[in-house]
Amino acid sequence: MKSARVAFEGGIYKATELSEGIQLDNGRQVAEEEVVWLPPIEPQTSFALGLNYSDHASELSFKAPEEPLVFLKGPNTFVGHRGKTYRPSDVTHMHYECELAVVIGREAKNVKKEEAYSYITGYTIANDYAIRDYLENYYRPNLRVKNRDHCTPIGPWLVDAAEIQDPMNLALRTYVNGELVQEGSTKDMIFDIPELIEYLSSFMTLSPGDLILTGTPKGTVDTKVGDEVITEIEGLGRLVNTITGEPS
Amino acid sequence: MPKAKAKFSGRLQMQEIDVYLKEGTVQWNGRVDSTEHTWDSPVSCTIYGTLLNYQGALDQMEEALHQDPYKSPPKAPILYIKPKNTITGNQTVIPMPEEVSELEVGACLGLVIGEKASRVSEDEAMSYIAGYTIVNDISVPHDSVFRPAVKHKARDGFCPAGPWIMERDEVPAPDNLTIRVYVNGECKQENHTGNLVRSVAQLLSDVTEFMTLEKGDTLLVGIPENPPRVKDGDQIRIEIEQIGALENKVKKEAAVGGVKS
């Protein structure tokens, strides 16, 4: 089962996928372009991983971390499918990051990795944009790089955990204006999903709606105003975003 | 009497109270209230902390700021998030993880945002503040600030806030407030918001240049240098002039309960 949150004619609905178009939870069937796509969940505590694919770590000249490199994001940073993300005019390097996003379904504290999957309600796609010009070496990556308004597109669908047989073996791809620019597999994560849940829940309580963005593989290049960036994960769909020069 | 908003435990809505700072009492619905109440956190949205915003804290790192891994002093505000699992109220217990013997007290003035604040100028910044609260931004002590300190700062119960939100107009000069931290009744730290690197208005302006603060969010102005360390059983009291006092006790996690294994 895949579900989305959309706005249509002034109301907010849950939506499901049809072979053509989508169905709102009041029964109406509409085209996907007729609705405004919201993030498929309202994210609670939102974690993101830095340098969690060894090829991306070496691309950035970092050695792979010995402990997960975790940072937090606020609710302002999320934007739905077909949304727009602002690139300030003075920026020289703003890149996408295609990431598998894990949604927690029940309270988790001191969870062992063998049981970790039972705490997951579903998966979605996140594009964790970074503006490298704003990196500073304090609590790096700092919020000015990673928590800008609408800099984290997410969606389109929340896909039930039961539908994804092996989340540690999914292809990730990013296309800019139709051209394939990033390709990897979740099997190359340094800390896999069960290890991340074990790690985080070892020192804090996770709650339903908490979100873990699991990092991105190699292949991050600069994007420009007007670029259409599609991040795609096998079995989860395609998340479309456009870079804009207009502040959100 | 100074007006504030509080959230008494067991009630869904917030209460408008009068605060008698000198007497240490509050009045609600016309009645002077003894301290029968227990308190929930008066803030519930996102809490953002600011790193190195006291001149003394920055000065202590002066040499390191130019060396690896930092290389150069910070330019823009460096922020972090205290997530929901950390937030508790006045008089709650701060759980101390079994594997550590000390925690660091982070005595912070909290700016509670009154309306959506995006790219606000320094001149207009104060009008976006609904009020002020006291926040104890607890950390497991850590020397390096190179990588985000989620494991040190985001543990359950690590962000007591309250007891109330003092309304903005009751505190006409937030850059001129004395902050004192008492541990078991003894004053262990005294500082002043006049020592902020970025003043309240400048911080709000510089932060909202790159991200929006929503109504109900709280921005902590920073932790003063030489934060006191506390141990199992210690009673912490953070006083901020014109706002009030936030009190919490430290106890070993196992003694607090609620920790599944």
Side-chain angles (χ1 to χ4, degrees), chain B residues 93-152:
Chain B
V93 169
I94 299 165
M96 182 155 89
E98 295 306 310
E99 66 273 22
V100 302
S101 57
E102 285 186 320
L103 296 177
E104 214 165 74
V105 175
C108 291
L109 172 67
L111 316 178
V112 184
I113 302 301
E115 59 177 306
K116 192 182 185 93
S118 185
R119 297 181 195 91
V120 306
S121 70
E122 210 174 315
D123 290 345
E124 295 168 333
M126 302 310 287
S127 67
Y128 289 85
I129 295 175
Y132 302 92
T133 192
I134 304 168
V135 175
N136 189 349
D137 173 7
I138 293 282
S139 302
V140 172
H142 57 290
D143 291 329
S144 175
V145 291
F146 175 52
R147 290 302 188 188
V150 176
K151 199 166 93 173
H152 306 97

Short mmCIF file of all heavy atoms in Angstrom, two decimals, chain B residues 93-152:
data_model
loop_
_atom_site.label_atom_id
_atom_site.label_comp_id
_atom_site.label_asym_id
_atom_site.label_seq_id
_atom_site.Cartn_x
_atom_site.Cartn_y
_atom_site.Cartn_z
N VAL B 93 12.71 15.46 36.54
CA VAL B 93 14.01 14.83 36.78
C VAL B 93 14.75 14.69 35.45
O VAL B 93 14.17 14.30 34.44
CB VAL B 93 13.80 13.44 37.44
CG1 VAL B 93 15.11 12.65 37.46
CG2 VAL B 93 13.26 13.62 38.85
N ILE B 94 16.03 15.03 35.48
CA ILE B 94 16.87 14.86 34.29
C ILE B 94 17.57 13.51 34.41
O ILE B 94 18.33 13.28 35.35
CB ILE B 94 17.92 15.99 34.21
CG1 ILE B 94 17.23 17.34 34.10
CG2 ILE B 94 18.88 15.75 33.05
CD1 ILE B 94 18.13 18.54 34.39
N PRO B 95 17.29 12.59 33.47
CA PRO B 95 17.89 11.25 33.59
C PRO B 95 19.36 11.28 33.16
O PRO B 95 19.69 11.72 32.07
CB PRO B 95 17.08 10.39 32.63
CG PRO B 95 16.06 11.28 32.00
CD PRO B 95 16.42 12.70 32.28
N MET B 96 20.23 10.80 34.03
CA MET B 96 21.65 10.75 33.70
C MET B 96 22.00 9.36 33.19
O MET B 96 21.79 8.37 33.89
CB MET B 96 22.51 11.09 34.92
CG MET B 96 23.98 11.09 34.60
SD MET B 96 24.90 12.13 35.71
CE MET B 96 25.23 10.95 36.96
N PRO B 97 22.51 9.27 31.95
CA PRO B 97 22.83 7.95 31.40
C PRO B 97 23.79 7.18 32.30
O PRO B 97 24.66 7.78 32.95
CB PRO B 97 23.51 8.28 30.06
CG PRO B 97 23.05 9.66 29.73
CD PRO B 97 22.83 10.36 31.03
N GLU B 98 23.63 5.87 32.33
CA GLU B 98 24.44 5.03 33.23
C GLU B 98 25.93 5.17 32.97
O GLU B 98 26.74 5.10 33.89
CB GLU B 98 24.02 3.56 33.07
CG GLU B 98 22.60 3.26 33.51
CD GLU B 98 22.31 3.72 34.94
OE1 GLU B 98 23.10 3.38 35.83
OE2 GLU B 98 21.30 4.42 35.14
N GLU B 99 26.29 5.39 31.69
CA GLU B 99 27.71 5.33 31.34
C GLU B 99 28.46 6.64 31.60
O GLU B 99 29.65 6.73 31.35
CB GLU B 99 27.89 4.90 29.88
CG GLU B 99 27.37 5.87 28.83
CD GLU B 99 25.90 5.70 28.47
OE1 GLU B 99 25.13 5.13 29.30
OE2 GLU B 99 25.50 6.16 27.39
N VAL B 100 27.77 7.68 32.09
CA VAL B 100 28.49 8.93 32.38
C VAL B 100 28.33 9.28 33.86
O VAL B 100 27.40 8.83 34.53
CB VAL B 100 28.00 10.12 31.50
CG1 VAL B 100 28.15 9.81 30.03
CG2 VAL B 100 26.57 10.49 31.82
N SER B 101 29.27 10.10 34.35
CA SER B 101 29.22 10.44 35.78
C SER B 101 28.87 11.91 35.99
O SER B 101 28.58 12.33 37.10
CB SER B 101 30.57 10.14 36.43
OG SER B 101 31.59 10.85 35.75
N GLU B 102 28.89 12.70 34.90
CA GLU B 102 28.58 14.12 35.02
C GLU B 102 27.81 14.61 33.80
O GLU B 102 28.01 14.11 32.69
CB GLU B 102 29.87 14.94 35.09
CG GLU B 102 30.59 14.87 36.42
CD GLU B 102 31.77 15.83 36.44
OE1 GLU B 102 32.48 15.95 35.42
OE2 GLU B 102 31.97 16.48 37.48
N LEU B 103 26.98 15.60 34.02
CA LEU B 103 26.30 16.28 32.91
C LEU B 103 26.64 17.76 32.98
O LEU B 103 26.99 18.29 34.03
CB LEU B 103 24.78 16.10 33.01
CG LEU B 103 24.24 14.68 32.89
CD1 LEU B 103 22.72 14.67 33.10
CD2 LEU B 103 24.59 14.08 31.54
N GLU B 104 26.49 18.42 31.83
CA GLU B 104 26.78 19.84 31.77
C GLU B 104 25.47 20.62 31.71
O GLU B 104 24.57 20.28 30.95
CB GLU B 104 27.58 20.10 30.49
CG GLU B 104 28.59 21.19 30.60
CD GLU B 104 29.55 21.12 29.42
OE1 GLU B 104 29.14 21.50 28.31
OE2 GLU B 104 30.69 20.68 29.62
N VAL B 105 25.38 21.67 32.52
CA VAL B 105 24.18 22.50 32.56
C VAL B 105 24.30 23.59 31.48
O VAL B 105 25.31 24.26 31.40
CB VAL B 105 24.05 23.19 33.94
CG1 VAL B 105 22.86 24.15 33.97
CG2 VAL B 105 23.91 22.15 35.04
N GLY B 106 23.27 23.73 30.66
CA GLY B 106 23.28 24.78 29.63
C GLY B 106 22.20 25.80 29.93
O GLY B 106 21.05 25.64 29.56
N ALA B 107 22.58 26.87 30.64
CA ALA B 107 21.60 27.87 31.10
C ALA B 107 21.28 28.84 29.97
O ALA B 107 22.10 29.69 29.64
CB ALA B 107 22.15 28.62 32.31
N CYS B 108 20.11 28.68 29.39
CA CYS B 108 19.79 29.45 28.18
C CYS B 108 18.55 30.31 28.35
O CYS B 108 17.52 29.86 28.87
CB CYS B 108 19.51 28.51 27.02
SG CYS B 108 20.94 27.62 26.43
N LEU B 109 18.64 31.52 27.82
CA LEU B 109 17.46 32.32 27.58
C LEU B 109 16.81 31.80 26.30
O LEU B 109 17.48 31.66 25.28
CB LEU B 109 17.86 33.80 27.40
CG LEU B 109 16.75 34.74 26.94
CD1 LEU B 109 15.68 34.89 28.01
CD2 LEU B 109 17.33 36.12 26.58
N GLY B 110 15.52 31.48 26.35
CA GLY B 110 14.81 30.98 25.18
C GLY B 110 13.88 32.05 24.62
O GLY B 110 13.06 32.61 25.36
N LEU B 111 14.03 32.32 23.33
CA LEU B 111 13.12 33.27 22.67
C LEU B 111 11.98 32.47 22.08
O LEU B 111 12.20 31.62 21.20
CB LEU B 111 13.85 34.01 21.54
CG LEU B 111 15.27 34.52 21.83
CD1 LEU B 111 15.85 35.17 20.56
CD2 LEU B 111 15.25 35.49 22.99
N VAL B 112 10.76 32.69 22.54
CA VAL B 112 9.61 31.96 22.02
C VAL B 112 9.00 32.79 20.89
O VAL B 112 8.65 33.96 21.09
CB VAL B 112 8.57 31.68 23.12
CG1 VAL B 112 7.43 30.84 22.57
CG2 VAL B 112 9.24 30.98 24.31
N ILE B 113 8.90 32.18 19.72
CA ILE B 113 8.49 32.91 18.52
C ILE B 113 6.97 33.08 18.50
O ILE B 113 6.22 32.14 18.76
CB ILE B 113 8.97 32.16 17.26
CG1 ILE B 113 10.50 31.98 17.30
CG2 ILE B 113 8.54 32.86 15.97
CD1 ILE B 113 11.29 33.27 17.38
N GLY B 114 6.52 34.29 18.18
CA GLY B 114 5.09 34.59 18.21
C GLY B 114 4.41 34.54 16.86
O GLY B 114 3.20 34.32 16.77
N GLU B 115 5.16 34.75 15.80
CA GLU B 115 4.61 34.55 14.45
C GLU B 115 5.72 34.16 13.50
O GLU B 115 6.91 34.42 13.75
CB GLU B 115 3.89 35.81 13.96
CG GLU B 115 4.75 37.05 13.90
CD GLU B 115 4.00 38.24 13.33
OE1 GLU B 115 3.45 38.11 12.23
OE2 GLU B 115 3.97 39.29 13.99
N LYS B 116 5.32 33.51 12.43
CA LYS B 116 6.28 33.00 11.44
C LYS B 116 7.32 34.05 11.11
O LYS B 116 6.97 35.16 10.68
CB LYS B 116 5.49 32.63 10.19
CG LYS B 116 6.23 31.83 9.16
CD LYS B 116 5.28 31.61 7.97
CE LYS B 116 5.89 30.70 6.93
NZ LYS B 116 5.52 29.30 7.13
N ALA B 117 8.58 33.72 11.29
CA ALA B 117 9.66 34.69 11.11
C ALA B 117 10.60 34.23 10.01
O ALA B 117 11.30 33.24 10.14
CB ALA B 117 10.43 34.86 12.42
N SER B 118 10.57 34.95 8.90
CA SER B 118 11.40 34.61 7.76
C SER B 118 12.06 35.88 7.27
O SER B 118 11.38 36.87 6.96
CB SER B 118 10.50 34.01 6.67
OG SER B 118 11.26 33.56 5.60
N ARG B 119 13.38 35.90 7.20
CA ARG B 119 14.15 37.06 6.75
C ARG B 119 13.68 38.34 7.44
O ARG B 119 13.30 39.31 6.79
CB ARG B 119 14.03 37.22 5.23
CG ARG B 119 14.59 36.04 4.47
CD ARG B 119 14.49 36.22 2.97
NE ARG B 119 14.70 34.94 2.32
CZ ARG B 119 13.71 34.10 2.01
NH1 ARG B 119 12.46 34.42 2.26
NH2 ARG B 119 13.99 32.95 1.46
N VAL B 120 13.70 38.33 8.76
CA VAL B 120 13.28 39.52 9.48
C VAL B 120 14.51 40.42 9.71
O VAL B 120 15.63 39.94 9.88
CB VAL B 120 12.60 39.21 10.84
CG1 VAL B 120 11.45 38.24 10.63
CG2 VAL B 120 13.57 38.62 11.84
N SER B 121 14.29 41.71 9.64
CA SER B 121 15.39 42.65 9.85
C SER B 121 15.64 42.76 11.35
O SER B 121 14.77 42.44 12.17
CB SER B 121 15.04 44.01 9.27
OG SER B 121 14.02 44.59 10.06
N GLU B 122 16.82 43.27 11.69
CA GLU B 122 17.15 43.44 13.09
C GLU B 122 16.16 44.41 13.76
O GLU B 122 15.76 44.21 14.91
CB GLU B 122 18.59 43.96 13.19
CG GLU B 122 19.29 43.52 14.43
CD GLU B 122 20.76 43.91 14.43
OE1 GLU B 122 21.44 43.72 13.40
OE2 GLU B 122 21.21 44.43 15.47
N ASP B 123 15.76 45.43 13.02
CA ASP B 123 14.84 46.43 13.57
C ASP B 123 13.48 45.84 13.92
O ASP B 123 12.83 46.25 14.88
CB ASP B 123 14.62 47.58 12.56
CG ASP B 123 15.88 48.42 12.42
OD1 ASP B 123 16.76 48.30 13.29
OD2 ASP B 123 15.97 49.19 11.45
N GLU B 124 13.04 44.89 13.10
CA GLU B 124 11.69 44.32 13.31
C GLU B 124 11.71 43.08 14.19
O GLU B 124 10.65 42.58 14.57
CB GLU B 124 11.09 43.89 11.97
CG GLU B 124 10.80 45.01 10.99
CD GLU B 124 10.49 44.43 9.61
OE1 GLU B 124 10.98 43.32 9.29
OE2 GLU B 124 9.75 45.08 8.87
N ALA B 125 12.90 42.58 14.48
CA ALA B 125 13.01 41.24 15.07
C ALA B 125 12.20 41.08 16.36
O ALA B 125 11.53 40.07 16.56
CB ALA B 125 14.48 40.91 15.33
N MET B 126 12.24 42.10 17.23
CA MET B 126 11.58 41.95 18.53
C MET B 126 10.09 41.69 18.40
O MET B 126 9.49 41.03 19.26
CB MET B 126 11.82 43.18 19.41
CG MET B 126 13.28 43.51 19.66
SD MET B 126 14.26 42.12 20.24
CE MET B 126 13.64 41.99 21.89
N SER B 127 9.48 42.19 17.33
CA SER B 127 8.03 42.03 17.19
C SER B 127 7.65 40.58 16.88
O SER B 127 6.48 40.22 16.92
CB SER B 127 7.48 42.98 16.13
OG SER B 127 7.96 42.59 14.87
N TYR B 128 8.64 39.74 16.54
CA TYR B 128 8.35 38.34 16.26
C TYR B 128 8.46 37.46 17.51
O TYR B 128 8.24 36.26 17.45
CB TYR B 128 9.30 37.81 15.17
CG TYR B 128 8.97 38.39 13.82
CD1 TYR B 128 9.48 39.63 13.43
CD2 TYR B 128 8.11 37.73 12.95
CE1 TYR B 128 9.16 40.18 12.21
CE2 TYR B 128 7.77 38.27 11.72
CZ TYR B 128 8.31 39.49 11.35
OH TYR B 128 7.97 40.03 10.14
N ILE B 129 8.84 38.07 18.62
CA ILE B 129 8.98 37.31 19.86
C ILE B 129 7.68 37.38 20.66
O ILE B 129 7.13 38.47 20.86
CB ILE B 129 10.15 37.88 20.70
CG1 ILE B 129 11.48 37.68 19.94
CG2 ILE B 129 10.22 37.22 22.08
CD1 ILE B 129 12.68 38.31 20.63
N ALA B 130 7.16 36.22 21.08
CA ALA B 130 5.96 36.20 21.93
C ALA B 130 6.35 36.38 23.39
O ALA B 130 5.62 36.99 24.17
CB ALA B 130 5.20 34.88 21.76
N GLY B 131 7.50 35.83 23.75
CA GLY B 131 7.93 35.91 25.14
C GLY B 131 9.23 35.17 25.35
O GLY B 131 9.88 34.75 24.40
N TYR B 132 9.57 35.02 26.64
CA TYR B 132 10.86 34.43 26.99
C TYR B 132 10.66 33.30 27.99
O TYR B 132 9.81 33.38 28.87
CB TYR B 132 11.76 35.49 27.63
CG TYR B 132 11.97 36.68 26.72
CD1 TYR B 132 11.12 37.80 26.80
CD2 TYR B 132 12.99 36.68 25.77
CE1 TYR B 132 11.30 38.88 25.95
CE2 TYR B 132 13.16 37.76 24.91
CZ TYR B 132 12.31 38.86 25.01
OH TYR B 132 12.48 39.92 24.15
N THR B 133 11.47 32.27 27.84
CA THR B 133 11.43 31.21 28.82
C THR B 133 12.87 30.82 29.19
O THR B 133 13.83 31.32 28.61
CB THR B 133 10.59 30.00 28.33
OG1 THR B 133 10.36 29.11 29.42
CG2 THR B 133 11.28 29.26 27.20
N ILE B 134 12.98 29.96 30.19
CA ILE B 134 14.29 29.49 30.64
C ILE B 134 14.44 28.04 30.17
O ILE B 134 13.52 27.25 30.32
CB ILE B 134 14.40 29.55 32.18
CG1 ILE B 134 14.11 30.98 32.65
CG2 ILE B 134 15.77 29.09 32.65
CD1 ILE B 134 13.91 31.09 34.16
N VAL B 135 15.58 27.73 29.60
CA VAL B 135 15.81 26.39 29.09
C VAL B 135 17.14 25.86 29.63
O VAL B 135 18.14 26.58 29.62
CB VAL B 135 15.80 26.38 27.55
CG1 VAL B 135 16.16 24.99 27.02
CG2 VAL B 135 14.43 26.80 27.02
N ASN B 136 17.11 24.65 30.13
CA ASN B 136 18.34 24.00 30.57
C ASN B 136 18.76 23.01 29.49
O ASN B 136 18.27 21.88 29.42
CB ASN B 136 18.12 23.29 31.91
CG ASN B 136 19.42 22.80 32.51
OD1 ASN B 136 20.46 22.81 31.85
ND2 ASN B 136 19.37 22.38 33.76
N ASP B 137 19.66 23.45 28.64
CA ASP B 137 20.13 22.67 27.50
C ASP B 137 21.25 21.73 27.98
O ASP B 137 22.42 22.04 27.91
CB ASP B 137 20.62 23.65 26.42
CG ASP B 137 21.28 22.96 25.24
OD1 ASP B 137 21.24 21.73 25.17
OD2 ASP B 137 21.82 23.68 24.39
N ILE B 138 20.80 20.57 28.48
CA ILE B 138 21.73 19.61 29.09
C ILE B 138 22.56 18.89 28.02
O ILE B 138 22.04 18.55 26.95
CB ILE B 138 20.93 18.56 29.91
CG1 ILE B 138 20.27 19.22 31.12
CG2 ILE B 138 21.79 17.38 30.31
CD1 ILE B 138 21.19 19.49 32.28
N SER B 139 23.83 18.67 28.34
CA SER B 139 24.72 17.92 27.44
C SER B 139 25.51 16.88 28.24
O SER B 139 25.86 17.12 29.39
CB SER B 139 25.77 18.82 26.80
OG SER B 139 25.19 19.87 26.10
N VAL B 140 25.81 15.78 27.57
CA VAL B 140 26.92 14.95 28.03
C VAL B 140 28.17 15.73 27.63
O VAL B 140 28.29 16.14 26.47
CB VAL B 140 26.90 13.56 27.34
CG1 VAL B 140 28.16 12.78 27.67
CG2 VAL B 140 25.65 12.79 27.73
N PRO B 141 29.08 16.00 28.58
CA PRO B 141 30.24 16.84 28.25
C PRO B 141 31.00 16.32 27.03
O PRO B 141 31.22 15.11 26.91
CB PRO B 141 31.11 16.76 29.51
CG PRO B 141 30.15 16.43 30.61
CD PRO B 141 29.10 15.56 29.98
N HIS B 142 31.33 17.22 26.12
CA HIS B 142 32.10 16.84 24.93
C HIS B 142 32.97 18.03 24.53
O HIS B 142 32.51 19.17 24.55
CB HIS B 142 31.19 16.41 23.78
CG HIS B 142 30.17 17.43 23.35
ND1 HIS B 142 29.09 17.78 24.12
CD2 HIS B 142 30.07 18.18 22.23
CE1 HIS B 142 28.37 18.70 23.50
NE2 HIS B 142 28.94 18.97 22.36
N ASP B 143 34.22 17.76 24.18
CA ASP B 143 35.15 18.85 23.87
C ASP B 143 35.02 19.32 22.43
O ASP B 143 35.08 20.51 22.15
CB ASP B 143 36.60 18.41 24.12
CG ASP B 143 36.85 18.23 25.61
OD1 ASP B 143 36.19 18.95 26.39
OD2 ASP B 143 37.66 17.36 25.99
N SER B 144 34.87 18.38 21.51
CA SER B 144 34.87 18.76 20.10
C SER B 144 33.49 19.24 19.66
O SER B 144 32.48 18.64 19.99
CB SER B 144 35.27 17.57 19.23
OG SER B 144 35.15 17.93 17.87
N VAL B 145 33.46 20.34 18.92
CA VAL B 145 32.20 20.79 18.33
C VAL B 145 32.28 20.72 16.80
O VAL B 145 31.59 21.43 16.09
CB VAL B 145 31.81 22.22 18.79
CG1 VAL B 145 31.44 22.21 20.26
CG2 VAL B 145 32.90 23.24 18.51
N PHE B 146 33.14 19.82 16.31
CA PHE B 146 33.30 19.66 14.86
C PHE B 146 32.10 18.95 14.25
O PHE B 146 31.57 19.37 13.23
CB PHE B 146 34.59 18.90 14.58
CG PHE B 146 34.82 18.57 13.14
CD1 PHE B 146 34.74 19.55 12.15
CD2 PHE B 146 35.12 17.26 12.74
CE1 PHE B 146 34.97 19.24 10.81
CE2 PHE B 146 35.34 16.95 11.41
CZ PHE B 146 35.25 17.94 10.44
N ARG B 147 31.66 17.86 14.89
CA ARG B 147 30.52 17.11 14.36
C ARG B 147 29.29 17.36 15.23
O ARG B 147 29.42 17.65 16.42
CB ARG B 147 30.85 15.61 14.32
CG ARG B 147 31.88 15.24 13.26
CD ARG B 147 31.45 15.64 11.87
NE ARG B 147 32.34 15.12 10.83
CZ ARG B 147 32.25 15.47 9.55
NH1 ARG B 147 31.33 16.35 9.14
NH2 ARG B 147 33.08 14.95 8.67
N PRO B 148 28.08 17.22 14.64
CA PRO B 148 26.85 17.43 15.44
C PRO B 148 26.84 16.53 16.68
O PRO B 148 27.28 15.39 16.61
CB PRO B 148 25.73 17.04 14.46
CG PRO B 148 26.32 17.23 13.11
CD PRO B 148 27.78 16.89 13.24
N ALA B 149 26.33 17.06 17.77
CA ALA B 149 26.43 16.37 19.05
C ALA B 149 25.11 15.72 19.45
O ALA B 149 24.67 15.83 20.59
CB ALA B 149 26.90 17.35 20.12
N VAL B 150 24.49 15.03 18.50
CA VAL B 150 23.17 14.44 18.76
C VAL B 150 23.22 13.49 19.96
O VAL B 150 22.38 13.56 20.86
CB VAL B 150 22.64 13.74 17.49
CG1 VAL B 150 21.32 13.04 17.77
CG2 VAL B 150 22.47 14.75 16.36
N LYS B 151 24.25 12.64 20.00
CA LYS B 151 24.36 11.67 21.10
C LYS B 151 24.58 12.36 22.45
O LYS B 151 24.27 11.82 23.50
CB LYS B 151 25.52 10.71 20.80
CG LYS B 151 25.46 9.43 21.60
CD LYS B 151 26.41 8.39 21.04
CE LYS B 151 27.75 8.45 21.74
NZ LYS B 151 28.63 7.34 21.34
N HIS B 152 25.12 13.57 22.41
CA HIS B 152 25.42 14.28 23.65
C HIS B 152 24.29 15.20 24.10
O HIS B 152 24.20 15.56 25.27
CB HIS B 152 26.68 15.14 23.47
CG HIS B 152 27.86 14.35 22.98
ND1 HIS B 152 28.22 14.30 21.65
CD2 HIS B 152 28.73 13.56 23.64
CE1 HIS B 152 29.27 13.51 21.52
NE2 HIS B 152 29.60 13.04 22.70
#
